[in-house]
Each structure stands twice: as structure tokens, then as C-alpha cells.
Amino acid sequence: MAEECVFCKIINKELPAAIVYEDDDILAFKDIKPIAPVHILIIPKKHIPDMTAVTENDVDLIGKIHLAAIKIAEELGISEKGFRLVNNCKQHGGQVVYHLHYHLLGGEALSIFA
Ligand code: AMP
Ligand code: ZN
């Protein structure tokens, strides 16, 4: 838990969110400013600031996030046609919230990014 972290506050239910998946290690909720028909954020409950802070100890956790993404995609009906799972890392990656998160995007053909 990081005091001023907005995603830690969502995990602790201090801030509302439209939660679509939760287990002991992971939370997933709708992005507040969706850029696709389906736009879900998948986060570890452990506060990891960004992707470069992931360590050997987090290997299982990252695997679980991947499995959760598959499950959520199936539940939201975007598995068959496909989807995108994105991590924005730090300034040049366009990261705004410094709690590790993965964008699950789908529901339409997504444009190819540069
Ligand atoms: P990033 O640029 O990868 O750090 O993305 C941060 C994402 O978090 C953006 O897509 C925001 O719309 C989303 N976001 C920020 N605050 C909230 C919130 N309280 N609930 C849901 N999504 C949020
Ligand atoms: Zn946090």
C-alpha cells in the first residue's frame, strides 16, 4: 500500500471502481476513460510502481495477471476475436499512474500503434 496511490485506494475500497475481477492477488476494473469498447485495467494488489520494479519474486504474480487477462477476456466476450494487453512504462511509455497495471483492450479492431 502506497499512501497516495490511486490504485491502492481502489484496492482498499477507499475509492469506487467498476470491478470485473478480484482474487487474493489481483484486481481488475473498468478504465474511467475508456479508449475502446472494452477497456479494463488489471493490477496486482501488491504496490509495484512500474514494470522495471518487477523482480524474480513477482514471476508468479505476473503469470497470474496473464491468466486473469485470459479469463476476463472470455467473460467479456472479446476472447474469440482477440484483444490487446498493454503496459505503459514510465515517461516515454506514457505511464500516468505509478502502480503497475495492464490495459486489456478490445471489442473492436484496434489501430496499429507506432
Ligand atoms: P497509464 O497511462 O498506463 O498510467 O494509464 C492509467 C489509466 O488509469 C488511464 O487510462 C486512466 O484513465 C485510468 N484511471 C485513472 N484513474 C482511474 C480511476 N480512478 N478509475 C479507473 N481508471 C482510472
Ligand atoms: Zn499502489
Side-chain angles (χ1 to χ4, degrees), residues 5 8 47 99:
C5 173
C8 282
H47 181 84
H99 178 127

Coordinates of all heavy atoms in Angstrom, one line a residue, residues 5 8 47 99, ligand 2:
C5 N -1.4 6.5 -3.6 CA -1.6 5.8 -4.8 C -3.1 5.6 -5.1 O -3.8 4.9 -4.3 CB -0.8 4.5 -4.8 SG -1.2 3.4 -6.3
C8 N -4.0 1.8 -5.2 CA -4.0 1.2 -3.8 C -5.3 1.6 -3.1 O -5.9 0.8 -2.4 CB -2.8 1.7 -3.0 SG -1.3 0.8 -3.4
H47 N 1.7 -3.2 -4.3 CA 2.1 -1.9 -5.0 C 3.5 -2.1 -5.6 O 4.5 -2.0 -4.9 CB 2.1 -0.8 -4.0 CG 2.5 0.5 -4.6 ND1 1.6 1.3 -5.3 CD2 3.7 1.1 -4.7 CE1 2.3 2.4 -5.8 NE2 3.5 2.3 -5.4
H99 N 1.4 2.6 -10.4 CA 1.1 1.3 -9.8 C 0.9 0.4 -11.0 O 0.1 0.6 -11.8 CB -0.2 1.4 -8.9 CG -0.6 0.1 -8.3 ND1 -0.8 0.0 -6.9 CD2 -0.8 -1.1 -8.8 CE1 -1.2 -1.2 -6.6 NE2 -1.2 -1.9 -7.7
Ligands
ZN2 ZN -0.4 1.4 -5.4

